[in-house]
Amino acid sequence: MANAISSTITAETGAAGSPLLRIDAVTKKFGGFTAVDGLSLDIKAGEFFALLGPSGCGKTTLLRMLAGFETPDAGQILLNGSDIAPMLPHQRPVNMMFQNYALFPHLTVRDNIAFGLKRAGLPRKEIKARVAEMVALVRLEGLEKRRPDQLSGGQRQRVALARALARRPQLLLLDEPLGALDKKLRENTQRELLELQRRLGLTFVVVTHDQEEAMTMADRIGVMNAGKLEQVATPRHLYEEPVSRWVAEFVGDINILEGQISRRDAGRLMVSVPQAGIVAAVAPQGASDSGNACVAIRPEKIRLSRRAPVSDTADGHAINRLEGAVSDIGYLGGASIYAVRLDGGAMLRASLANTARLDVDAFGVGQRVVAWFAPDDCVVLGR
């Protein structure tokens, strides 16, 4: 049954080489407030795309425009080359799964899934077959006669997903789809949702504020801020190569050392940090050899030792060595976060894996340490 659904969906994707969805200079205002500001974005057929950003950044407004619940003030929304912005929600080959699932409490699982199919005027026999397909697809067999209040949170989420998929949309929109689930159930559901999306070959656009969720599930992530896209990239590139200080600080945990570029040395920038000393970092493409800059280092890239390492990196470049003392420790199970106050006054956070069950080799508060990291592990960003 799933194969039948998959063949129907993939047959409706865009022409080879062209994006399934093109958002072209879309703007949406509410009074004097600009929620989405001239945003452009291409999303490929079969892609799992995540919109990530702080509250009020415009990501849900953008999703609602794709669904047809809001109309752009300017720009186009092209699906398979056709502008769907003027179309009503039920006229679009797009469906949306809401954050609160929006299930009808008086209807059974079967009738909730069938609701949109009945509104579309499908024959009764086809509705029955389609509902059976959806129930099997999301593994709800035996629960068809239950009402939403008789289901667990995970089961309600599956009913909402089945209802959204029942009309076989070309594009499925998900607004914080796992936000109501507890951590363990959310992790299990993430895997199931990703498996389902890949099996069907369907295009998903998900809005989430959960960075871990976006990094785990998405092929690409668009980070939004104040109605604009700050960066669109794969999870790895977004984390390892942020294009701005704002993105670096928003995505994951990071150390920022502010300073002045003093010189360039063999492809490295030497940044003079008043509270830390000279820090060597890889020069990004097009970087200036002077001016203000900040060095960004992820905590897991920093190593701590009781004495400085003897050797440098394999290519002969010096490892950054910064001395200080441990001021605080946070135990997270698989890793510990060490706050180190450098002798110059700057604070660094280092994340070290807890590879041994006992803490015989762990560092204690007040202990002198050397924080060291390779230039390749640093990102130089403008202030």
Side-chain angles (χ1 to χ4, degrees):
M1 290 182 181
N3 289 337
I5 298 169
S6 180
S7 62
T8 302
I9 290 172
T10 53
E12 295 173 342
T13 58
S18 62
L20 174 71
L21 176 68
R22 169 160 287 171
I23 302 166
D24 185 15
V26 165
T27 295
K28 180 63 180 178
K29 297 182 179 180
F30 297 99
F33 175 69
T34 302
V36 177
D37 189 3
L39 188 145
S40 295
L41 174 66
D42 285 353
I43 295 176
K44 296 175 289 186
E47 188 171 20
F48 199 124
F49 191 92
L51 286 167
L52 181 66
S55 298
C57 71
K59 56 187 187 294
T60 296
T61 299
L62 179 60
L63 202 72
R64 288 178 61 83
M65 285 193 285
L66 299 181
F69 301 127
E70 302 287 352
T71 303
D73 296 317
Q76 290 183 307
I77 299 173
L78 304 173
L79 187 65
N80 273 332
S82 300
D83 188 5
I84 63 172
M87 297 173 63
L88 296 174
H90 69 276
Q91 297 173 327
R92 305 180 182 204
V94 176
N95 221 336
M96 183 167 176
M97 179 177 156
F98 297 93
Q99 182 177 2
N100 62 0
Y101 306 148
L103 299 177
F104 298 106
H106 61 289
L107 297 182
T108 63
V109 167
R110 180 186 292 115
D111 291 337
N112 263 288
I113 297 172
F115 182 82
L117 303 175
K118 292 177 180 178
R119 292 288 300 272
L122 267 67
R124 182 177 299 178
K125 185 176 181 180
E126 186 173 347
I127 291 175
K128 183 177 180 180
R130 191 84 63 87
V131 170
E133 288 178 4
M134 293 297 110
V135 167
L137 188 68
V138 297
R139 301 199 302 276
L140 286 171
E141 296 95 332
L143 303 177
E144 295 92 335
K145 295 182 180 180
R146 293 192 185 183
R147 290 182 169 82
D149 63 356
Q150 298 172 309
L151 302 173
S152 68
Q155 290 167 341
R156 287 194 294 271
Q157 190 263 358
R158 291 183 186 185
V159 176
L161 180 60
R163 185 178 63 182
L165 290 169
R167 292 185 62 182
R168 296 174 177 167
Q170 293 183 40
L171 181 66
L172 184 64
L173 312 173
L174 303 100
D175 185 12
E176 301 281 3
L178 310 181
L181 307 181
D182 62 63
K183 179 176 172 57
K184 198 70 176 178
L185 181 57
R186 187 165 62 246
E187 291 173 352
N188 291 337
T189 308
Q190 284 174 6
R191 290 191 291 270
E192 292 175 357
L193 193 59
L194 192 56
E195 179 186 348
L196 181 63
Q197 184 264 343
R198 288 174 176 169
R199 196 187 334 154
L200 297 180
L202 189 58
T203 307
F204 280 18
V205 178
V206 59
V207 158
T208 181
H209 69 278
D210 188 322
Q211 297 181 20
E212 185 176 331
E213 182 173 295
M215 301 284 278
T216 300
M217 301 177 70
D219 299 310
R220 288 190 303 151
I221 300 172
V223 182
M224 288 188 66
N225 180 35
K228 294 179 179 290
L229 279 170
E230 292 278 341
Q231 184 173 358
V232 178
T234 64
R236 176 175 290 276
H237 281 108
L238 189 67
Y239 187 81
E240 301 290 358
E241 300 176 20
V243 297
S244 68
R245 178 170 178 169
W246 189 91
V247 173
E249 291 184 319
F250 181 76
V251 178
D253 192 13
I254 201 160
N255 296 285
I256 300 288
L257 297 173
E258 296 186 1
Q260 187 88 11
I261 297 173
S262 59
R263 68 183 191 279
R264 182 187 291 262
D265 181 10
R268 266 57 173 179
L269 289 178
M270 303 298 162
V271 181
S272 178
V273 180
Q275 293 184 313
I278 299 294
V279 178
V282 173
Q285 188 173 10
S288 171
D289 291 352
S290 62
N292 295 330
C294 58
V295 179
I297 318 123
R298 297 289 182 187
E300 67 274 12
K301 302 293 194 295
I302 297 175
R303 299 291 178 262
L304 299 181
S305 303
R306 290 173 174 80
R307 61 183 63 86
V310 175
S311 61
D312 287 338
T313 57
D315 60 4
H317 288 282
I319 289 175
N320 293 294
R321 300 172 174 85
L322 305 176
E323 297 187 15
V326 175
S327 63
D328 194 20
I329 303 170
Y331 179 76
L332 303 178
S336 290
I337 304 296
Y338 293 88
V340 178
R341 183 172 295 280
L342 302 179
D343 292 343
M347 290 292 296
L348 284 182
R349 293 181 306 281
S351 175
L352 304 184
N354 293 319
T355 56
R357 186 174 64 85
L358 302 178
D359 61 354
V360 290
D361 293 325
F363 302 101
V365 173
Q367 185 168 4
R368 294 284 303 173
V369 294
V370 177
W372 56 277
F373 47 92
D376 287 352
D377 291 330
C378 306
V379 178
V380 176
L381 302 169
R383 288 188 182 178

